[in-house]
Amino acid sequence: MTPLVFLIIVSAYLLGSISSAVLICRLFSLPDPRQSGSGNPGATNVLRMGNKLAAGLVLIFDILKGMLPVWISYFLSINPFLLGIIGIAACLGHIYPIFFHFQGGKGVATALGAIAPIGWGLSGLMFLTWFSVVLITGYSSLGSLIAALMAPLFTWWIKPEYTMPVSMLSCLIVFRHHENIKRLWDGKENKIWKKFSRNSEEKPQNHD
């Protein structure tokens, strides 16, 4: 591993450690997402707080955290295995951010950003998989899990040389969802639209 690659890996982790959800919630005077809703500092939890603009910004910045270091490395012709390590470093920064007491999110958006430089077709297939599962079942976590599990197959179909690094990212996402897997198995996972409807019902009470 060259000094340049090592520097990029460290930079990817530090960039991933910038919790956009926490910072944007502070900017919009919203509660700390680590202590509200699901406790996950991510775009979905910010959306549950009722601010679509803030949630959209969180999603964009979380994707960019994974995309920028991998994209730069991609154009520097760094080999696929090390690209996977760089993507994982960005996701680990998001999941265990050094700047925010190691209390991070699930890493789905950051992983999607890390995979995007491989090809927009791959990103589109992953998003379509997630959206289809959420539309059918209502479980955002299940959509993320199935998209992560399908990602290596999609990659093998589109650019097989990147199958291994994408598989590494997929394993990390599945591991990060171990609590969601248990709740899904026990039938205790909440459906995404149930949470939204509950929040919309609670809003009028806050204005009384």
Side-chain angles (χ1 to χ4, degrees):
M1 183 185 299
T2 66
L4 176 61
V5 172
F6 179 77
L7 178 62
I8 293 174
I9 291 172
V10 173
S11 299
Y13 171 77
L14 294 176
L15 180 62
S17 290
I18 301 173
S19 181
S20 56
V22 175
L23 295 177
I24 289 173
C25 281
R26 289 177 184 173
L27 181 64
F28 282 79
S29 299
L30 295 171
D32 190 325
R34 296 169 296 179
Q35 300 171 3
S36 305
S38 65
N40 178 55
T44 302
N45 196 30
V46 176
L47 183 60
R48 291 188 185 113
M49 296 178 188
N51 195 312
K52 295 180 181 179
L53 176 58
L57 290 173
V58 171
L59 179 62
I60 291 170
F61 283 118
D62 283 351
I63 289 174
L64 287 175
K65 289 193 302 185
M67 181 184 294
L68 290 177
V70 176
W71 212 333
I72 292 170
S73 304
Y74 183 85
F75 284 108
L76 289 174
S77 300
I78 293 175
N79 72 66
F81 176 78
L82 291 176
L83 281 179
I85 298 296
I86 292 166
I88 288 174
C91 289
L92 285 174
H94 179 81
I95 296 169
Y96 305 108
I98 192 172
F99 304 129
F100 294 88
H101 310 291
F102 302 100
Q103 298 177 22
K106 297 294 176 66
V108 176
T110 305
L112 179 63
I115 291 173
I118 296 175
W120 294 112
L122 175 59
S123 302
L125 284 171
M126 289 184 63
F127 176 79
L128 182 61
T129 302
W130 174 85
F131 182 77
S132 299
V133 174
V134 173
L135 191 64
I136 294 169
T137 68
Y139 295 115
S140 178
S141 57
L142 183 60
S144 298
L145 283 165
I146 293 180
L149 291 171
M150 292 298 294
L153 178 61
F154 293 150
T155 307
W156 178 79
W157 180 34
I158 295 173
K159 284 190 177 180
E161 64 270 27
Y162 291 98
T163 302
M164 180 180 290
V166 170
S167 299
M168 294 161 62
L169 280 170
S170 296
C171 289
L172 179 61
I173 296 304
V174 172
F175 168 76
R176 190 67 179 93
H177 281 76
H178 66 277
E179 293 179 357
N180 301 88
I181 294 172
K182 185 177 186 304
R183 287 196 297 270
L184 285 165
W185 183 262
D186 294 338
K188 297 179 180 179
E189 183 80 333
N190 289 317
K191 294 188 176 183
I192 188 169
W193 52 64
K194 182 183 295 184
K195 293 185 178 182
F196 292 151
S197 62
R198 184 184 304 140
N199 285 346
S200 63
E201 290 172 359
E202 290 174 352
K203 278 184 180 180
Q205 298 175 2
N206 294 334
H207 294 292
D208 289 341

